[in-house]
Amino acid sequence: MTEQERQKKIELLKELQQLYMELYGDEEAFAFFVKMLDKNAGERRPALRKLDETRAGDAHWYHSNKLLGMMLYVQNFGGSINAVKDHLPYLEECGINYLHLMPLLDSTKGKSDGGYAVSDFRKIRPSLGTMEDLENLADACHEKGISLCFDFVLNHTSEDHAWAKAARAGDPVAQSRFFLYDNWEIPHKYEQTVPQVFPTTAPGNFTWCDALQKVVMTTFHNYQWDLNYANPMVFNDMTDNLLYLANRGMDVIRLDAIPYIWKELGTNCRNLPQVHTIVRMMHLACQLVCPGVALLGEVVMEPREVVPYFGPEEKPECDILYNVTTMCTTWHCLATRDVRLLSHQMEQVCRLPDNCFFQNYLRCHDDIGWGLDYGFLSQYGTDEVAHKKYLNEWFTGKWPGSWARGEMYNDAADLGDARTCGTTASLCGLETGILEMLDSKGEASLRRGLDCDLMLHAWLFTQTGIPVIYSGDEIAQLNDYSYHEDPAHWDDSRYVHRGKFDFALAEKRLEKGTVQQEIFDGLQKLKDTRAEYDVFRSDAKVYVYYTGDDRVFGLLREYEGQTLVGLFNFSEHPADVKLYAPHETGDAVWRDILADTEIRPEEGQPAADIHLNGYGFYWLYRKEQQA
Ligand code: GLC
C-alpha cells in the first residue's frame, strides 16, 4: 500500500467512525465492525483486487456509453446459473456487457416474493446452483468483459431465515433484530402514518405471529420480516453479508428497497435521514474492502426523494440509481401523446451534477407505479386519481380503442393508486398487433406496435446512463398469462411479465421479416451506433430540444463540436417538426445516422423540415466544421 493509499484509508475510516458513533454511539460494536471489514478485505481474491486496482484509475468505469445491460431471472433463462453460463454467447450476441441477475439466494418456495424474501444470504437456492457456480459465472463473465449485478435484499429477511427462526424459538438476541410487539397498540400507531406497499396483495405493515404471540413488522409481505437497523448488530451483520456477496465477484450490488430501512413512529418510515447515513456507511465499507464495486440503489419514490440518494459529490451514497421517474413518465407520454411532462422532467435530469448517474429502463420485474409529477400536471387540469385511472385503463386495454395489453396491479378500491404490469411489447400494442395479424385484420396494427416498441428503445438508448433491457424485450416477448394457474403466483400480476425466456422464439431473430428479427436487429443498430458516436458519452452536455409539437420529444446531445438531436414521436399520427442548427456557424446539414442519409434545409431556409411517421424517431447528427 502506498503512503497515499494509507492516508486515504485513514480518512475513510475516520468518517466511518464518526457516522457510526453518531448513529449508534457504541464503541464495541464499531470495533467489531472494523474487524469484520478487515476479514472481508483479507478474503478478497487476487483477481478481484486486480479489478479494484484497474478501476481505481477509472472510478466511474460504469459511465461508459459502451455499456448495455440486461436483467434476467436465472430460473427463466435456462433454469440454472450454469445454464446462464452456457447461454453467454447469446447474451454476447445481444451486445450485453452488464448483466443483472435477479435474486438467487435461498428462499422458501411459495413465500419468496420472486427471491426477495431471503432465508440465507450465503446460500444459492439449490435448484439454481451453488455459490461456486456463481463465482465461476462471474469469472466467465469477466473474461468476456461482462459485469455482474447482484441483488442485496437488506430491508428484511424471510421468516425462514435463521434469525427469524431463532426469534420464534424465544432467543432475545435474535428477537432484537426485528420489530416485535406484544400487542397491536404501537403497530396501530404506525399504521396511522405509514402507507402500504401492497395494499391488496399484502395489506398492512404488521403480521400477527402465532408462534411468538407477538406482532411483527412486515412492510412488504407477511413472510418478510423487517430488520431493525437501530440495532448495530443488524447493520454489522448485513454489511458483512453485502461484502461477502461482493467478494463472490459481483461488480454492482443492487440495494433493494433502500428507502425503507429505517423506521420511526409518527413518520411514513420512508427516506428518513438515518437511511442516508447507513447507505453512506455501506459505501465507505465498499471503498475500504472492494473499491471496484458500485452500489445501485433501488429508490422507487417520487422524483424529489430520488436524487438525495446519490449523496454529496465528495461523499457518495449510491453510485447508480434507477431512473424510475423517467421510466414512468415515458409510459405516461405514450398514453397521452403529450411529451410536456417528459420535457419538464428531463430539464431537471440534464441539470444534475455528473455524479448523478442512472440506470435507464423501459421495463423491469416490477409494476409501473404512476409516481408522476402531479404538481406539474395540475397546471393542465390533470387530476391525480382520474389520471392514474386513465393510464391503467389505457395500458390494460380497457380504454376504448386502446391496443395496449397489460394487467392492473394492487388495485385497492379506496386508494385510486393502482399500477400496471406487462411486457414492453404487450404494452406497446404488439400483442394486439400479432393477434390481429392472425385474424388477418391487416398489418397496420402490427406495424404500429413494432414502431412504438422501437421508438421507445431508441429513446432509452438516447439517455445518459446505462440502458438496461428486460430479458425477452430484445425479441419482443409478450405477456405470459400462465401465472393465473400457478397457485404460488396467481394473485401477483407482476408475473405476467416474468415469463420464461422463449429460446425457440429467439431463434426467429435470425429469420428475415419476423417481429423478432426486426426488434432484435433494431436494438443492435441502436446499441452499435450509441457505442460508436462520442455524443453518447456520459460527459456530453444534454439539453431538451423543444420541437414545438407536444407529441414529439427532442433531446440534444453535444460533445466536442458534435451534436445529436434525437426526435421521438409519441403519437401514432405523423408529425412534422423543424430542426434548427444549434449554432450560427456552418450550414445546417444533418446526417440521419441510423438510415445513413443526409438531411438539409431547403434553399435559404434556416431549419430542416423533419417528417416523422406515427411513432417515428430520428438520430440526427452533425459535426461543426473546423475553422
Ligand atoms: C423491491 C423489489 C420487489 C420486491 C420488494 C420487496 O422493491 O424490486 O420486487 O417485492 O423489493 O423485497
Side-chain angles (χ1 to χ4, degrees):
M1 197 187 289
T2 65
E3 182 50 27
Q4 206 187 358
E5 284 165 353
R6 214 176 61 86
Q7 280 305 328
K8 169 114 199 265
K9 191 175 163 190
I10 291 173
E11 260 172 52
L12 295 176
L13 268 172
K14 240 199 229 156
E15 190 195 336
L16 194 51
Q17 181 170 25
Q18 195 198 338
L19 293 174
Y20 199 103
M21 285 305 144
E22 259 172 44
L23 194 65
Y24 297 124
D26 187 334
E27 295 278 358
E28 207 183 313
F30 182 68
F32 184 92
F33 186 74
V34 174
K35 246 199 233 149
M36 178 278 290
L37 293 184
D38 282 343
K39 179 199 73 183
N40 280 291
E43 283 170 9
R44 194 147 172 86
R45 284 188 281 140
L48 298 179
R49 282 195 213 171
K50 196 141 172 246
L51 206 61
D52 293 336
E53 274 167 36
T54 321
R55 288 174 178 170
D58 180 20
H60 288 162
W61 58 271
Y62 46 85
H63 280 208
S64 163
N65 57 310
K66 298 187 172 46
L67 274 192
L68 175 62
M70 181 176 279
M71 56 186 294
L72 56 81
Y73 282 97
V74 169
Q75 60 270 40
N76 288 344
F77 193 79
S80 69
I81 295 175
N82 287 336
V84 172
K85 199 161 96 197
D86 295 340
H87 287 302
L88 284 181
Y90 172 76
L91 296 177
E92 281 184 291
E93 190 193 325
C94 295
I96 300 305
N97 46 19
Y98 168 69
L99 184 61
H100 174 191
L101 300 173
M102 297 304 291
L104 296 173
L105 295 174
D106 209 6
S107 188
T108 308
K109 200 169 185 258
K111 286 182 172 184
S112 118
D113 187 21
Y116 285 100
V118 176
S119 56
D120 189 337
F121 290 96
R122 297 179 183 226
K123 186 177 162 207
I124 299 288
R125 221 169 308 150
S127 56
L128 302 178
T130 63
M131 251 330 151
E132 203 188 333
D133 296 341
L134 180 65
E135 291 192 54
N136 290 337
L137 174 65
D139 288 344
C141 282
H142 288 156
E143 255 169 49
K144 295 177 184 292
I146 301 174
S147 303
L148 276 186
C149 171
F150 197 85
D151 265 282
F152 182 52
V153 186
L154 68 165
N155 176 69
H156 41 256
T157 71
S158 143
E159 63 175 11
D160 293 326
H161 187 278
W163 296 340
K165 282 186 183 162
R168 274 199 301 280
D171 174 353
V173 175
Q175 290 185 359
S176 72
R177 293 177 186 269
F178 300 101
F179 295 90
L180 303 175
Y181 303 94
D182 294 334
N183 57 49
W184 286 90
E185 194 185 330
I186 298 175
H188 280 155
K189 282 193 184 147
Y190 269 107
E191 292 291 16
Q192 285 169 16
T193 54
V194 184
Q196 303 187 37
V197 179
F198 302 130
T200 59
T201 48
N205 290 289
F206 293 87
T207 302
W208 173 254
C209 173
D210 243 356
L212 265 174
Q213 290 291 298
K214 283 184 200 289
V215 182
V216 190
M217 186 187 280
T218 52
T219 303
F220 291 83
H221 293 95
N222 57 11
Y223 49 81
Q224 289 166 309
W225 289 22
D226 286 68
L227 284 166
N228 184 357
Y229 278 84
N231 177 349
M233 225 164 47
V234 167
F235 173 69
N236 284 1
D237 291 343
M238 289 304 282
T239 310
D240 192 11
N241 285 332
L242 186 165
L243 297 171
Y244 169 83
L245 293 170
N247 274 348
R248 308 284 62 80
M250 301 304 116
D251 302 275
V252 175
I253 297 282
R254 174 186 183 274
L255 299 179
D256 178 62
I258 193 77
Y260 299 82
I261 62 171
W262 193 272
K263 321 291 197 291
E264 217 155 85
L265 198 59
T267 72
N268 65 357
C269 296
R270 315 276 197 267
N271 311 303
L272 296 178
Q274 293 85 346
V275 174
H276 291 278
T277 309
I278 290 176
V279 183
R280 175 64 187 150
M281 289 200 289
M282 286 183 167
H283 195 279
L284 286 164
C286 289
Q287 271 179 283
L288 286 160
V289 173
C290 47
V293 171
L295 293 180
L296 162 69
E298 189 221 8
V299 181
V300 180
M301 291 284 145
E302 58 181 298
R304 71 186 163 87
E305 297 287 6
V306 176
V307 172
Y309 283 88
F310 285 115
E313 207 158 349
E314 62 298 346
K315 291 184 176 178
E317 294 174 19
C318 293
D319 302 294
I320 314 168
L321 289 175
Y322 280 80
N323 197 345
V324 60
T325 311
T326 302
M327 181 280 292
C328 65
T329 303
T330 296
W331 289 105
H332 149 93
C333 293
L334 201 65
T336 56
R337 289 85 158 170
D338 183 337
V339 302
R340 286 176 294 180
L341 178 62
L342 187 58
S343 300
H344 171 71
Q345 156 71 15
M346 289 312 293
E347 286 282 0
Q348 299 169 59
V349 172
C350 295
R351 270 191 239 122
L352 292 173
D354 290 346
N355 64 315
C356 298
F357 193 74
F358 288 105
Q359 166 162 324
N360 295 309
Y361 59 113
L362 295 172
R363 293 296 297 112
C364 72
H365 66 295
D366 280 331
D367 49 292
I368 306 173
W370 300 112
L372 305 169
D373 184 343
Y374 292 98
F376 178 84
L377 285 176
S378 68
Q379 66 181 306
Y380 308 119
T382 303
D383 169 74
E384 179 170 343
V385 172
H387 189 57
K388 284 179 178 167
K389 189 164 185 283
Y390 167 69
L391 293 171
N392 285 319
E393 289 191 358
W394 175 267
F395 285 114
T396 54
K398 289 198 190 92
W399 190 265
S402 161
W403 44 80
R405 292 289 172 268
E407 287 192 353
M408 210 97 115
Y409 183 64
N410 267 278
D411 181 20
D414 48 335
L415 293 179
D417 198 28
R419 314 168 220 166
T420 296
C421 294
T423 67
T424 303
S426 290
L427 294 179
C428 281
L430 258 175
E431 188 171 323
T432 304
I434 289 170
L435 285 176
E436 289 187 355
M437 273 295 276
L438 293 178
D439 284 355
S440 55
K441 277 196 192 149
E443 284 175 17
S445 99
L446 181 67
R447 186 70 260 153
R448 184 179 56 208
L450 280 165
D451 288 344
C452 181
D453 191 311
L454 284 170
M455 184 277 290
L456 287 181
H457 278 99
W459 159 229
L460 172 69
F461 281 66
T462 311
Q463 298 167 57
T464 297
I466 311 175
V468 178
I469 297 173
Y470 189 63
S471 170
D473 277 1
E474 78 281 14
I475 53 160
Q477 221 172 289
L478 305 180
N479 287 342
D480 175 2
Y481 299 101
S482 66
Y483 84 96
H484 290 173
E485 324 296 333
D486 179 348
H489 299 136
W490 66 269
D491 62 346
D492 190 338
S493 54
R494 292 177 298 178
Y495 283 87
V496 81
H497 55 251
R498 293 179 182 175
K500 284 214 180 321
F501 182 74
D502 190 338
F503 282 99
L505 192 69
E507 285 303 305
K508 293 204 171 167
R509 74 189 184 281
L510 307 168
E511 244 172 73
K512 263 224 130 358
T514 61
V515 166
Q516 292 68 33
Q517 177 259 323
E518 186 166 345
I519 297 287
F520 192 89
D521 289 355
L523 265 54
Q524 290 297 301
K525 178 86 188 159
L526 290 166
K527 171 209 71 150
D528 290 341
T529 312
R530 177 179 158 94
E532 181 186 337
Y533 285 83
D534 278 348
V535 268
F536 289 102
R537 286 172 57 110
S538 305
D539 49 355
K541 296 254 177 305
V542 186
Y543 310 91
V544 174
Y545 181 88
Y546 287 90
T547 63
D549 185 326
D550 289 340
R551 300 167 300 173
V552 183
F553 178 74
L555 198 78
L556 187 150
R557 305 185 61 92
E558 269 186 351
Y559 183 78
E560 293 190 344
Q562 300 168 59
T563 306
L564 177 113
V565 175
L567 295 172
F568 310 92
N569 183 359
F570 275 79
S571 120
E572 69 275 30
H573 303 294
D576 292 284
V577 301
K578 296 232 176 267
L579 181 63
Y580 290 87
H583 303 292
E584 300 279 321
T585 54
D587 50 352
V589 181
W590 297 84
R591 191 145 206 92
D592 173 343
I593 50 174
L594 293 168
D596 202 17
T597 53
E598 208 170 76
I599 294 186
R600 51 175 73 232
E602 301 234 342
E603 196 62 34
Q605 293 300 313
D609 294 307
I610 309 291
H611 175 79
L612 293 111
N613 292 329
Y615 296 130
F617 63 91
Y618 284 102
W619 275 354
L620 299 165
Y621 172 85
R622 73 194 295 265
K623 202 171 178 170
E624 293 297 320
Q625 301 298 328
Q626 299 294 332

